[in-house]
Amino acid sequence: MATTVGASTRTGPHPLALLMAVLVGLASVAAPLTAHAATTVTQLPSLPLTSVTAPGSVTGTGPNGEPTIYWMSSGNPAIFAGTHARTGEVLVSMPVPTAQGSWTLTRHKSGDIYIGSYGEGRLFRYVPGATALEDLGEMAPGETFIWSTTQDENGVIYSGTGQFGGHVVSYDPATGAKRDYGTWGDNDRPIIQRGIAAGLGRIWVGSGPTPQLTEIDIATGARTNIPLPDVQGQNYVMDLDLRGELLFMRASTSGSPMPLHVYDVKAGKWIESIDNAAGLRVSETSPDGRYIYFVRNNTLHRYDLEQRAWEATSFSGMGDMRAFGWLDLQDPAWPGMTLVGAKHTGAVWRWNPTTGKGDSYMSDVPGAPANLRSATEGPDGRIYFGSYLGGGLASYDPRTNATEFIYRIPQAESMTSHDGAVYAGGYPRAEVWQYRPDQPTVAGQNPKVVLNLYDQGQSRIWAMASAGRYLAVGTVPHNGATGGLLALVDPRTGENWTVKVAGGQSVVGLVHRDGILYGTTSAFGGSGAPRPTDMNSHVFAYDIEKRTMLWMINPKQGEGALGELAFDKAGNLWTAGPTSVHKLDPATGALLATRTYEPFPWNTVEYVWVGSHLWTDPQTDKLMVTAQGAAYEVDPLTLERTRVFRPVSVAFTTNSGVNYALRDIRAWQWTTHAPVAATLTVEPTVRLGASTTIKVEGLGANEPVTLRLRPSGDLLANVVADAQGRVSYTHTVPLAASLGAGAVEVERPLTRGILRKTWTTAEQACTRTITGSAKGIVVRSGEVVCVRDAAVRGGITVLAGGQLFLENSGVRGEVNASGADAVVITGSSVRGSIILTGVRDSLVKDSTATGRIIR
């Protein structure tokens, strides 16, 4: 029902990391600000999505010389903290209002900690014992992200920025002087400086999204490109560490294990490649100056800087290290110096070379409040939320005002409901997570991953829609890459396939109706990818059964991305860009109406994946569009719009008639009129062959809806509500229907909402049951005769109005039914013919007849 907005411009601040996505920088004042403002606004309770996600950390000492790990936990705001490396307890903790996190921390030779932040691209300094960080300012104005920091032997700090120009900047703590060594890219060719190392009069900087390693003369600024070893298929020179005269480098797209390459800076040549090494760094040099340590195959290895050889230690169970240094734990059980490493989740590993002892534990590093990233209404009426950057799944129950943390899933770029479950699209591995609210939460089982598209070049599940049997998803490719996909998966069987759309554009909006999937695209690839040469997004229609594209159009030249889609009561299809709306004929794609409200900076924006959220209010027939940080009401006839609510990053409506909006760490309920709740009523138990009435109330006048059975996904009917917003539909349960738990769903193409009620399908109640040996049987009008595990000598006759259920039995004679209401023959053998004349509903399954079967 709802996805997220994603855009980046050079003028607006935006946090961006390999494991993150970018939100539009907008005002964060919670107020409806127009003449036609929302009539009610209620802020939700704080959602339990605080998390520890610390991409950057470093070892050091505390205010009183304690062995300390320093962290920057991403959030709004970020939290800077220091924890005791022996006990894990918090020694220092403080919010950093001008930062949303950090990818890189460096311990200066003085003991001070330098933090390169994202959000505003600022460099901070922490002096142990201080009560606040010192803000040293933006290193490269206009660059919102410091990706990497290091120091040389003189104590000068160097930073690599992104993601526009990709600058290298030095800061001298002794004098406060800064020097910008220039840019490696521009708006048309954005560059990220992922890795940096310095010493011996030189700087080495590793770039992406096209891997590049550059050596810079510190004195002159002269640059020399260093040819790389084989890094085919990777996007970034991600990790760089200078140890003595050796430069250790990894190239990767996502940070996953890759070869660790060793470069002799004095000889100017690559001397070694060690496969399957994890990042993001090698360790500091050992106290004796001879070894560095790294992680390979989850095992700690050491590299001899003198012999230039490597070997495994006996310590395993490690992952990628962030902090990775030597500390005196001030404990006899850990004599001398201990190697300490930290993971971004707050986990700590320790290994002592003297004793060979190693262990791990979770520190008490505090989490930071997480920005809300995506949300949807679940099948149980609760509202489900996912967060950025730390991930997590949480819920809010409007009936009780209660919130609940459910499970730590990855950052969810999108959410929707399908077949009784909540689905979340995870980043960075393009995983589709399924959570069933009616089942217990069990690790690995609920939630669980039902589709993974990472190996197909995808990182973000940016759009999702329930589509009959299938869940449809739209993707954005790996960072730095192009080539998104449309994918469909049957979560019950695992059947799935993918389709390239518009030459591989990102697929960012989806809606389903009558077996046709309608979608929108963005011309932009993954973050950091080259700017598209064809700045034209598309709307398309895809026939799921035929697996065929029916039509595809570009509604407006030069519009680089479109957003969500929805229908109106007349059956027209609508979509919107960041500053536009478009009305289309769903049969042909013909553009029926369009309007652009204001210019949009397509020539300077770095990327836009989704420009709007969209639905039709079934009570007012007005189009509701959210874009550029606000929600608007649009007249579908004149296309005039009125702002009704802000601030907004994500917005959607629910079956209760209440709208929801998310921005940063807050969420609100809001309405523009008295809400009308839609309800679905079904009988709790329905019997095979019997009729039952499905009732829906609270719809808009003449609102179209689709009735569907679950778990089969079969279409029951497309119906239109009456003038009072009511639907009454009589359904005869097929004799071939599956027994047991099932459900009825009402799909609302105007709001993209789904109403759901469960029922149990049971056998027809038997008025007479026959088992064992029996003679010829006559079933009279009004009778329901069940013949089970029986041997019948003679035939069976079913008169008009009668019902026969013949199961696992043998009949020596024919079965003859004329004008009967129902005949079901399963697992049985008939010595004669089966003659079914004018039978209203019949089923012959797994059965044989020596004569003919006549219907």
Side-chain angles (χ1 to χ4, degrees):
M1 284 178 58
T3 53
T4 55
V5 89
S8 169
T9 68
R10 192 177 178 86
T11 57
H14 61 91
L16 174 69
L18 184 64
L19 302 178
M20 323 173 194
V22 178
L23 296 176
V24 180
L26 302 167
S28 58
V29 179
L33 298 176
T34 75
H36 180 50
T39 57
T40 63
V41 179
T42 304
Q43 184 168 326
L44 270 59
S46 296
L47 290 155
L49 285 170
T50 297
S51 66
V52 175
T53 304
S57 58
V58 72
T59 57
T61 53
N64 300 307
E66 307 96 329
T68 303
I69 304 172
Y70 290 99
W71 319 74
M72 182 79 112
S73 190
S74 299
N76 186 8
I79 302 293
F80 174 78
T83 61
H84 199 296
R86 187 181 71 247
T87 66
E89 66 181 319
V90 177
L91 300 174
V92 61
S93 176
M94 60 189 71
V96 188
T98 53
Q100 295 186 22
S102 172
W103 198 263
T104 174
L105 280 71
T106 293
R107 183 185 74 249
H108 191 257
K109 57 194 302 183
S110 66
D112 296 346
I113 306 299
Y114 286 81
I115 305 108
S117 72
Y118 56 80
E120 296 185 10
R122 311 181 80 86
L123 185 67
F124 296 90
R125 174 168 54 206
Y126 172 70
V127 178
T131 58
L133 300 186
E134 182 182 356
D135 186 347
L136 303 175
E138 294 178 275
M139 290 297 98
E143 296 283 272
T144 60
F145 206 119
I146 295 176
W147 283 95
S148 51
T149 58
T150 192
Q151 67 179 315
D152 65 10
E153 59 268 42
N154 298 315
V156 176
I157 300 293
Y158 299 87
S159 301
T161 74
Q163 103 152 32
F164 301 108
H167 293 247
V168 173
V169 184
S170 68
Y171 172 80
D172 189 341
T175 65
K178 289 195 298 185
R179 178 180 177 184
D180 191 335
Y181 284 85
T183 179
W184 269 243
D186 52 38
N187 272 348
D188 292 328
R189 192 176 63 90
I191 293 293
I192 295 174
Q193 307 291 27
R194 287 304 311 268
I196 197 166
L200 308 175
R202 286 166 283 181
I203 311 165
W204 292 268
V205 59
S207 309
T210 300
Q212 181 180 352
L213 178 61
T214 306
E215 181 181 285
I216 308 168
D217 185 289
I218 290 178
T220 68
R223 303 178 186 180
T224 302
N225 185 55
I226 298 177
L228 291 170
D230 182 13
V231 294
Q232 185 176 358
Q234 305 310 312
N235 290 110
Y236 304 96
V237 173
M238 186 170 285
D239 315 328
L240 286 177
D241 296 291
L242 181 67
R243 301 293 183 259
E245 295 181 347
L246 297 181
L247 185 69
F248 294 84
M249 181 274 286
R250 280 192 333 130
S252 180
T253 294
S254 65
S256 57
M258 286 293 164
L260 178 65
H261 304 283
V262 187
Y263 181 73
D264 186 323
V265 299
K266 185 175 182 180
K269 65 179 182 180
W270 298 98
I271 62 172
E272 183 117 48
S273 291
I274 305 169
D275 68 346
N276 211 38
L280 291 172
R281 62 187 58 179
V282 302
S283 77
E284 298 172 352
T285 306
S286 61
D288 61 10
R290 182 165 181 176
Y291 300 102
I292 63 96
Y293 290 78
F294 62 97
V295 179
R296 177 178 178 269
N297 295 332
N298 297 318
T299 299
L300 184 66
H301 288 65
R302 71 178 184 180
Y303 188 96
D304 190 321
L305 298 174
E306 295 178 3
Q307 299 297 322
R308 300 190 174 184
W310 55 276
E311 62 183 355
T313 72
S314 60
F315 184 50
S316 61
M318 306 177 75
D320 61 317
M321 295 293 98
R322 309 300 169 120
F324 208 7
W326 296 91
L327 292 173
D328 181 354
L329 297 184
Q330 302 170 359
D331 184 342
W334 299 87
M337 301 296 282
T338 295
L339 183 61
V340 177
K343 192 173 174 63
H344 70 277
T345 58
V348 176
W349 281 265
R350 302 179 295 191
W351 179 77
N352 188 279
T354 301
T355 64
K357 175 184 178 180
D359 70 0
S360 64
Y361 67 90
M362 288 299 298
S363 70
D364 295 331
V365 57
N371 283 333
L372 302 176
R373 183 67 172 163
S374 54
T376 194
E377 182 179 17
D380 56 350
R382 289 192 290 173
I383 311 300
Y384 290 85
F385 297 88
S387 74
Y388 159 95
L389 159 79
L393 179 65
S395 70
Y396 166 73
D397 192 332
R399 295 156 295 198
T400 64
N401 206 39
T403 63
E404 178 186 1
F405 178 80
I406 296 169
Y407 195 79
R408 182 65 59 190
I409 65 171
Q411 175 178 308
E413 302 286 56
S414 57
M415 283 188 174
T416 197
S417 290
H418 169 76
D419 191 12
V422 174
Y423 288 85
Y427 172 81
R429 300 199 62 83
E431 298 165 326
V432 176
W433 285 78
Q434 177 199 76
Y435 172 68
R436 293 199 167 275
D438 59 345
Q439 297 179 8
T441 300
V442 179
Q445 299 178 34
N446 189 41
K448 67 178 181 180
V449 175
V450 297
L451 182 67
N452 187 320
L453 296 172
Y454 183 82
D455 290 342
Q456 295 190 47
Q458 309 306 303
S459 282
R460 306 177 195 271
I461 305 293
W462 201 261
M464 292 196 286
S466 181
R469 278 180 51 205
Y470 300 100
L471 177 71
V473 304
T475 70
V476 175
H478 290 167
N479 294 337
T482 57
L485 293 172
L486 167 67
L488 291 104
V489 59
D490 182 340
R492 291 185 177 271
T493 66
E495 176 197 1
N496 67 86
W497 72 94
T498 60
V499 181
K500 281 191 175 181
V501 179
Q505 290 188 349
S506 300
V507 177
V508 294
L510 292 169
V511 69
H512 171 259
R513 192 174 189 185
D514 296 340
I516 308 301
L517 193 63
Y518 301 89
T520 57
T521 71
S522 166
F524 296 85
S527 65
R531 285 181 57 80
T533 56
D534 178 12
M535 190 67 75
N536 290 304
S537 57
H538 293 79
V539 185
F540 64 87
Y542 178 80
D543 188 309
I544 296 175
E545 182 178 355
K546 297 179 180 178
R547 303 192 182 187
T548 301
M549 196 67 68
L550 300 178
W551 54 259
M552 185 181 305
I553 70 153
N554 165 233
K556 180 184 177 184
Q557 284 289 309
E559 188 163 37
L562 293 164
E564 291 180 342
L565 308 100
F567 287 87
D568 62 21
K569 290 180 181 178
N572 301 304
L573 178 67
W574 291 82
T575 188
T579 59
S580 63
V581 294
H582 310 290
K583 175 182 175 183
L584 298 96
D585 182 342
T588 65
L591 185 62
L592 303 178
T594 183
R595 181 158 180 183
T596 299
Y597 298 98
E598 59 195 44
F600 189 78
W602 293 111
N603 291 330
T604 59
V605 72
E606 184 199 346
Y607 57 83
V608 177
W609 294 324
V610 170
S612 68
H613 305 277
L614 186 70
W615 66 92
T616 297
D617 187 324
Q619 303 300 327
T620 66
D621 299 342
K622 296 293 181 66
L623 197 68
M624 306 300 296
V625 180
T626 68
Q628 299 295 93
Y632 299 89
E633 191 176 73
V634 177
D635 187 307
L637 298 178
T638 67
L639 302 190
E640 293 293 326
R641 73 175 189 177
T642 304
R643 194 178 73 199
V644 295
F645 184 86
R646 75 174 187 186
V648 173
S649 287
V650 175
F652 58 101
T653 192
T654 63
N655 289 309
S656 66
V658 175
N659 308 317
Y660 285 79
L662 324 178
R663 176 63 189 173
D664 298 330
I665 62 174
R666 294 179 293 277
W668 300 269
Q669 296 173 330
W670 59 279
T671 63
T672 57
H673 56 76
V676 179
T679 60
L680 168 63
T681 304
V682 299
E683 295 182 44
T685 301
V686 293
R687 297 190 178 275
L688 299 182
S691 295
T692 186
T693 300
I694 299 166
K695 295 182 179 181
V696 190
E697 295 181 301
L699 302 173
N702 306 312
E703 180 182 347
V705 294
T706 296
L707 306 183
R708 193 175 299 279
L709 292 176
R710 295 293 183 186
S712 67
D714 292 342
L715 174 68
L716 274 183
N718 289 310
V719 294
V720 176
D722 63 19
Q724 286 72 45
R726 299 174 302 196
V727 165
S728 181
Y729 179 79
T730 300
H731 167 58
T732 299
V733 182
L735 295 172
S738 299
L739 296 174
V744 175
E745 289 186 346
V746 179
E747 299 171 0
R748 306 178 70 187
L750 275 64
T751 66
R752 299 192 309 281
I754 297 175
L755 292 163
R756 179 183 174 92
K757 282 287 188 179
T758 58
W759 64 12
T760 299
T761 306
E763 291 182 337
Q764 185 64 274
C766 303
T767 59
R768 184 162 44 119
T769 301
I770 298 171
T771 60
S773 297
K775 294 184 178 180
I777 299 170
V778 176
V779 181
R780 294 175 175 81
S781 178
E783 277 195 306
V784 180
V785 176
C786 300
V787 182
R788 296 172 177 155
D789 303 313
V792 181
R793 300 188 306 276
I796 301 177
T797 300
V798 187
L799 303 178
Q803 297 185 48
L804 168 69
F805 291 83
L806 177 65
E807 304 171 16
N808 303 319
S809 299
V811 180
R812 296 183 180 180
E814 70 178 18
V815 175
N816 193 321
S818 178
D821 281 352
V823 174
V824 176
I825 303 174
T826 58
S828 299
S829 60
V830 177
R831 293 187 184 180
S833 297
I834 299 175
I835 303 170
L836 307 177
T837 305
V839 176
R840 180 174 59 83
D841 196 0
S842 64
L843 172 68
V844 179
K845 182 179 179 182
D846 301 327
S847 299
T848 60
T850 58
R852 294 183 297 168
I853 299 179
I854 303 172
R855 298 190 185 187

